[in-house]
Amino acid sequence: MNEKLVEINKMLVEVYDDVNLIEEYSIKQGTFSDLSITEIHTIEAIGLYGAKTMSEASMELGITMGTLTIAVDKLIKKGYLERSRSNSDRRIVNVNLTNRGKLAYRIHEKFHLDMVKAIMLDFTLQEEEALLRALSKLNKHLKDIYLGSDR
Amino acid sequence: MNEKLVEINKMLVEVYDDVNLIEEYSIKQGTFSDLSITEIHTIEAIGLYGAKTMSEASMELGITMGTLTIAVDKLIKKGYLERSRSNSDRRIVNVNLTNRGKLAYRIHEKFHLDMVKAIMLDFTLQEEEALLRALSKLNKHLKDIYLGSDR
DNA sequence: CCTTTATATTTTGATTATCAAAATATTTGT
DNA sequence: ACAAATATTTTGATAATCAAAATATAAAGG
């Protein structure tokens, strides 16, 4: 009974660690080796479509705006982001991806999907469904129990 | 077809982020709020049973020995670890948990298991099995494809 | 319309985690 | 006993982070 919990916990921890390693490694090898994982996450948070304000992006990333300011400075210097001020409210700073930023976004997204695809290759349809259902449930529970269903 | 991959990928990413948040939060609240996640991981790597050398522990954690030296210094100051030199080979440094370190280890372990337990409460036996099988497979694949089955 | 208050962001000063390379200490091989 | 190998620590640097202070702009109230 408890045995299975221990096993599932162990798997989760290992998957967690592996994903981290793989992601780090794949970035180091790839076209955008001048980006860290954190920087890729920043690029992801800005997103392909239009611009985000500093508040929105820092909220989404769960970091302070001060931290984001520095991250954005560096990503602008590297050519992945652009900064502009809102015309309707000059306090607001909008950040958006450059073409290079969009390319990095898409390539990272593709890496993720390819990884999942490779992993699922020999899953039966039933297994696929089971994993998806279990993950959805896991995800929902994590949010409900520990993070308070909203946000 | 691709739709399911996107979905599974999204779930994995969300679970990953949530687990991180939850772990951070639970440490901040708990008995050992003077420990960071990184420090908890160091304590985990040393383990309950006997001592580990600096090489062994740094290998297990995937960090350099220089980084570990500093981490160990701080954990000794905080009372979680002890350092001693091997008698058979005076170059080797052994590190082990103090009682306080062991308590931290056990409490963190319990937190993990409780989390999994809470999540699995309303899983049917079939769903449990499905998740376990899928996770094993996922785990194995991650290691095979990206990390080279050994290590 | 000024003045205060609120909001959005950046700057500053500090800390933690990390690495690579140099330095130190000890053992092993010849 | 000397040179080479091994285990660890020290040093010098960088990245990511936060909280609090500073700056700039907008909104609200008399």
Side-chain angles (χ1 to χ4, degrees), chain B residues 12 79 111 135 137:
Chain B
L12 282 174
F111 155 74
L135 278 178
K137 219 162 179 174

Side-chain angles (χ1 to χ4, degrees), chain A residues 39-50:
Chain A
E39 288 175 321
I40 295 259
H41 287 158
T42 304
I43 287 172
E44 277 184 324
I46 305 297
L48 289 176
Y49 308 110

Side-chain angles (χ1 to χ4, degrees), chain B residues 96-124:
Chain B
N96 64 277
L97 299 184
T98 60
N99 284 335
R100 183 174 175 73
K102 286 178 188 168
L103 185 57
Y105 183 108
R106 292 211 181 86
I107 284 186
H108 184 67
E109 192 183 35
K110 179 161 163 33
F111 155 74
H112 256 270
L113 291 181
D114 283 353
M115 182 171 74
V116 175
K117 201 181 284 181
I119 288 162
M120 310 290 288
L121 253 186
D122 69 339
F123 271 50
T124 65

Side-chain angles (χ1 to χ4, degrees), chain B residues 46-78:
Chain B
I46 306 297
L48 289 176
Y49 309 109
K52 290 246 170 98
T53 67
M54 292 297 287
S55 318
E56 288 167 351
S58 70
M59 187 80 82
E60 191 159 327
L61 287 164
I63 59 178
T64 64
M65 266 192 285
T67 300
L68 185 59
T69 296
I70 291 165
V72 166
D73 284 349
K74 232 172 38 176
L75 284 171
I76 288 172
K77 208 169 288 172
K78 289 186 186 175

Side-chain angles (χ1 to χ4, degrees), chain B residues 38-52:
Chain B
T38 307
E39 287 174 323
I40 295 259
H41 286 157
T42 304
I43 287 172
E44 277 184 324
I46 306 297
L48 289 176
Y49 309 109
K52 290 246 170 98

